Amino acid sequence: METPALAPSLAPTLAPALESGVLSVAGLRKSYDGVAVLQGLTFALRPGECYGLLGPNGAGKTTTLRCALGLTAPDAGEIRLAGLPVPGHAREARMRVGIVPQMDNLDPDFTAAENLLVYGRYFGLAEREVRARIPRLLDFAQLVGRADAKISALSGGMKRRLTLARALVNDPDLLILDEPTTGLDPQARHLIWERLKQLLQQGKTVLLTTHFMDEAERLCHRLAIMDNGRFIAEGSPRELIAAHIEPEVVEVYGEPGEMSAAAWASAEAAQYATRVEVTGETAFCYLAEARPLLRHLASQRGLRYLHRPANLEDVFLKLTGRDLRD
Ligand code: ADP
């Protein structure tokens, strides 16, 4: 699909607007069949930051990204992407953005290099220009020597890296990634994290959705936790942990056939912990100071336990609950 280059009439408004923000969203609303999926979201990305959208399945993360990109029409709200109003000027705005969708949509009929070429054409880039960029992009994606490989010959991790490289073909200021590491093994995931950190160091802005709290904690300068189409918390990982959760956690596990951790926790840990949450055979004890509970646990037989600092997952589960969302 050919997309026209940026219309000259838009150029004067683009530069100053870009300085004021890569993406801003105000009062974003969307309903499907009378069900409110986005209920008035307001947020803005700061240039050079990594901003995360976290939320259980169905929270509205993908719909938010789609609206931001002008791929889904909102019912209400104002969106400016790369300084341009969306959806009105979505096509021009998307020229400044790199997109990594949830599902890899590389063209299976083409090689790795051809996928980059075809994508570059979509941005109106000259073939010569894209060809000149390909070695650097493949190097970035650790796919040197795979230029002529068919997509079907690439592993899941390689496809993800190629999709990331493809998103960089137009040298975008903003990268939008929908669950960039879902389905990848730890090695592949770590490589994607390293590459995203490199891009942030180069000054790019990143917006991502993720289900992985460790990913958000590693990468995001700020994040929003969403549920039912609303932001229920926003801040840096450290701020969110400090604001919403006790600093220390002791997880107590029962051994099958011995005293249940759940029974023990409801009977004893509650004396020491500010809050105890029981899931299956594990009791999560949240406390300001773990030492008294740890001393008590040391004298218990048949219980295993893990003492750790509170993390983003604790915040997420406290705010969104432990019930399954399918
Ligand atoms: P998330 O990405 O957080 O899992 P989504 O944005 O995909 O959430 O979906 C939010 C809600 O909107 C879900 O209940 C989903 O079923 C619904 N939804 C998303 N897209 C459509 C659509 N095209 N038609 C109807 N319902 C939709």
Side-chain angles (χ1 to χ4, degrees), residues 39 71 73 83 94 99 123 125 141 161 166 179 199 236 240:
Q39 307 199 53
L71 302 171
R94 284 203 300 269
I99 303 169
F123 289 99
L125 297 170
R161 271 143 45 205
R166 191 187 62 173
E179 296 188 21
L199 294 170
S236 72
L240 290 173

Side-chain angles (χ1 to χ4, degrees), residues 46 48-52 200 216-223 235-239:
R46 298 173 188 151
E49 78 172 342
C50 179
Y51 189 95
L200 288 164
E217 236 170 309
R218 272 165 213 263
L219 292 177
C220 295
H221 299 102
R222 290 189 305 141
L223 56 96
S236 72
R238 211 177 269 197
E239 283 168 356

Side-chain angles (χ1 to χ4, degrees), residues 32-33 35 37-38 55-64 102 178-179 209 211 226:
Y32 284 113
D33 306 321
V35 178
V37 167
L38 301 181
N57 282 336
K61 304 179 295 294
T62 300
T63 306
T64 305
Q102 204 173 100
D178 198 358
E179 296 188 21
T209 74
H211 283 297
M226 290 184 73

Side-chain angles (χ1 to χ4, degrees), residues 234-275:
E234 188 189 40
S236 72
R238 211 177 269 197
E239 283 168 356
L240 290 173
I241 292 166
H244 293 281
I245 210 95
E246 299 76 8
E248 298 192 37
V249 184
V250 180
E251 295 182 17
V252 186
Y253 313 98
E255 295 287 357
E258 298 190 3
M259 184 187 187
S260 125
W264 184 87
S266 52
E268 306 237 7
Q271 298 171 42
Y272 299 91
T274 319
R275 217 158 42 83

